[in-house]
Amino acid sequence: MRSLTVGLSLALATTALAPVAMAGEMDAMGMQKTVMVGGAAMSPAKNIIQNAMNSKDHTTLVAAVKAAGLVDTLEGTGPFTVFAPTNEAFAALPAGTVDTLLKPENKATLSRILTYHVVAGNYTSHDLAKLVKKHKGMATLKTVEGASITVAEHGGKWTVTDAKGNVAHITIADVRQSNGVIFVIDKVLMP
């Protein structure tokens, strides 16, 4: 389970992500700036779980991570790149999906979905841009779940496409954490 959850990270945006709020900027002294996500400052000194718990836009994700038993993993040293769906992304799933997934008997399925949003490693938007350029417009990343997602740039906007062809947009990039980086996305990815 621990090795499966190590992939709950994924990397995505680049400095060319103009329409995306770039969170990975440095202040004048070279210190990592905090970024606002869901009305809360995301401190680069805190881990993924500590920051996510403060975002009002990620309460469903936090509840799902707890139900799947992945809290300890995402509080670990990582590093992880996480593509974090918002509450609105979860709400867009068919009626009853989230409630069903949060039931104890569906823990394995929930864990599989959540680990599909994580890539092992610390990928910044700059790293993703280099990969996308190297692979002629698209980069395939293996998730902790084991399947792959595809990162691409289309007309200045960055997307993540899942195995079923669903496309999520990166809305906030490079949210630095003590154990990785988060990219906020507007859809739930499905393996």
Side-chain angles (χ1 to χ4, degrees):
M1 177 81 138
R2 191 158 282 256
S3 64
L4 182 64
T5 57
V6 170
L8 255 177
S9 281
L10 214 132
L12 204 63
T14 115
T15 53
L17 295 175
V20 175
M22 294 305 291
E25 298 175 24
M26 302 286 196
D27 67 16
M29 298 185 69
M31 300 297 292
Q32 184 69 43
K33 287 185 180 180
T34 58
V35 177
M36 297 299 289
V37 176
M42 301 289 111
S43 170
K46 293 182 178 179
N47 68 45
I48 291 165
I49 295 299
Q50 291 169 328
N51 275 321
M53 288 176 52
N54 292 323
S55 170
K56 69 177 183 183
D57 290 344
H58 292 91
T59 57
T60 305
L61 178 61
V62 169
V65 167
K66 288 178 180 179
L70 299 174
V71 171
D72 288 345
T73 299
L74 292 176
E75 285 182 329
T77 57
F80 305 105
T81 301
V82 177
F83 293 95
T86 61
N87 293 343
E88 287 181 2
F90 281 101
L93 293 171
T97 300
V98 174
D99 290 336
T100 300
L101 286 171
L102 292 175
K103 292 180 179 178
E105 62 268 23
N106 295 320
K107 183 177 179 179
T109 301
L110 179 60
S111 179
R112 184 171 171 239
I113 292 168
L114 293 175
T115 57
Y116 188 63
H117 289 79
V118 178
V119 173
N122 190 13
Y123 292 89
T124 65
S125 58
H126 178 75
D127 298 326
L128 293 175
K130 287 189 341 186
L131 285 171
V132 167
K133 183 177 180 181
K134 179 180 177 180
H135 296 284
K136 298 178 176 49
M138 287 192 251
T140 301
L141 301 170
K142 186 173 181 178
T143 69
V144 172
E145 184 270 338
S148 296
I149 57 174
T150 303
V151 177
E153 185 268 332
H154 305 280
K157 296 183 180 184
W158 286 84
T159 61
V160 182
T161 304
D162 68 21
K164 299 187 182 311
N166 300 309
V167 179
H169 296 89
I170 297 173
T171 59
I172 302 175
D174 291 333
V175 183
R176 304 286 182 144
Q177 315 291 300
S178 64
N179 61 345
V181 63
I182 291 176
F183 291 90
V184 177
I185 58 174
D186 64 358
K187 285 197 177 155
V188 176
L189 304 171
M190 293 293 181

